[in-house]
Amino acid sequence: MSISVCTLAFGRAEHVFNLVRGLTLSTREPDELVIAVMQAEPYDLPETVFPVRQIVMGSNGIPLAQARNRAAREARGDLLVFLDVDCIPHPCLVADYADRSAGRSGVFMGEVKYLPSGATDNGIDYAAFDRVGVEHSERAGPPSDPLGKCGDYRCFWSLNFALSKADFAITGGFDESFVGYGGEDTDFGRTVATVGLPIWWVRGAKAYHQYHPHHMPPVHHLDSVLANTHRFIEKWGEPTMQHWLRAFVLMGLIERRGKGWVKLREPAEDDFALTQQQADQPYASSATVLDWLEARELEASA
């Protein structure tokens, strides 16, 4: 089995460098790395034994779905391993995906640990990463067995996953009508389930998510979340990202009208402050913000 690792990148040169450096430390190196470069210039990368192909796509607001599809089309491996640009692969990630997917179809989702700020200042240190990295409280933990069935397509997310190139073709790839942030992962998970492919949780195939400031719920992507919600309704007959939408309603940013939502105002400084990931947090939490908003709403109505 030949294996292609695929990623897409815009900016974050240090994160890209660390991803590639991590792959060079793999117990089983990939047969290639394909980078969909969402900017005008390619990256300066460390030397590797395996080939690295940078597909420069330009910098005109390229949809994430389009970049993932381009990387998959360009990849030559039998197995496609998709890693977010912020991920540093564990030395066994590639080997684990090869082992877990052997003789099976479907989508395989490996473990992720989130690193706090400064965790990579001294380079790649996997023992240190395991000490300070944490699992996301809003994601399922790894299964007790090497593989566990995932029964909810909404759990799919594209941070760290693998599937065969043949199965990717069956899905038709990511829907490029989802533009900007939000919804394209859930749509892909729904498509995977609709075409009858299983989704698997993997014990192992671990990646370490490098710190970067973020907002959750993603108020900085309010317009694209709304647009992609309406696209999802049009396609599947029901909404998605409802926890984010609920938070936006409670923040007074949007309101429900008919079968959709409309924006009431632009996010303000207080909205960004509420949703901003703090420097001591390895990840931003939508659940924490939503719990606070719900408590405030309950208190106001008492």
Side-chain angles (χ1 to χ4, degrees), residues 122 163-164 211 251 283:
N122 296 318
L163 78 169
S164 70
Y211 175 88
M251 294 165 72
Y283 59 85

Side-chain angles (χ1 to χ4, degrees), residues 223-278:
D223 290 334
S224 64
V225 168
L226 284 177
N228 288 342
T229 292
H230 295 141
R231 168 62 184 136
F232 195 93
I233 293 171
E234 176 187 0
K235 183 174 180 178
W236 299 109
E238 60 187 23
T240 186
M241 302 181 283
Q242 295 189 63
H243 58 313
W244 292 349
L245 297 171
R246 173 60 177 163
F248 294 156
V249 167
L250 292 173
M251 294 165 72
L253 295 169
I254 64 173
E255 71 176 14
R256 185 74 183 260
R257 290 186 190 171
K259 295 182 179 181
W261 286 261
V262 296
K263 185 169 73 172
L264 300 178
R265 62 176 177 84
E266 296 291 339
E269 184 176 336
D270 287 350
D271 302 310
F272 289 112
L274 175 63
T275 59
Q276 171 69 56
Q277 177 181 352
Q278 302 302 308

Side-chain angles (χ1 to χ4, degrees), residues 22-194:
L23 286 173
T24 68
L25 302 174
S26 297
T27 59
R28 172 176 177 171
E29 291 183 333
D31 293 277
E32 65 172 355
L33 169 64
V34 179
I35 306 175
V37 179
M38 302 168 68
Q39 60 187 33
E41 299 296 329
Y43 290 89
D44 290 326
L45 299 174
E47 291 187 4
T48 62
V49 173
F50 51 86
V52 178
R53 291 188 288 128
Q54 300 194 58
I55 313 301
V56 178
M57 300 180 65
S59 55
N60 295 318
I62 299 157
L64 300 178
Q66 182 182 338
R68 287 196 185 93
N69 289 343
R70 178 68 181 277
R73 285 198 305 270
E74 297 282 349
R76 298 163 182 163
D78 303 310
L79 182 70
L80 307 180
V81 174
F82 286 85
L83 278 181
D84 188 271
V85 65
D86 301 316
C87 288
I88 299 174
H90 185 278
C92 294
L93 179 142
V94 176
D96 284 347
Y97 272 134
D99 175 71
R100 307 298 191 266
S101 65
R104 297 182 179 89
S105 64
V107 172
F108 303 82
M109 298 189 299
E111 298 181 43
V112 177
K113 281 201 167 185
Y114 286 77
L115 300 176
S117 178
T120 60
D121 287 353
N122 296 318
I124 295 179
D125 183 338
Y126 291 112
F129 292 170
D130 280 326
R131 285 196 303 272
V132 302
V134 299
E135 295 176 357
H136 201 298
S137 60
E138 295 159 42
R139 299 287 184 183
S144 56
D145 296 324
L147 281 178
K149 271 282 186 72
C150 173
D152 187 345
Y153 71 86
R154 294 172 298 178
C155 292
F156 171 77
W157 93 109
S158 58
L159 197 72
N160 172 22
F161 76 100
L163 78 169
S164 70
K165 187 158 189 177
D167 281 350
F168 189 85
I170 290 172
T171 68
F174 286 81
D175 186 339
E176 296 180 15
S177 67
F178 287 83
V179 179
Y181 189 92
E184 77 278 355
D185 279 5
T186 310
D187 173 76
F188 185 75
R190 178 72 175 259
T191 298
V192 167
T194 299

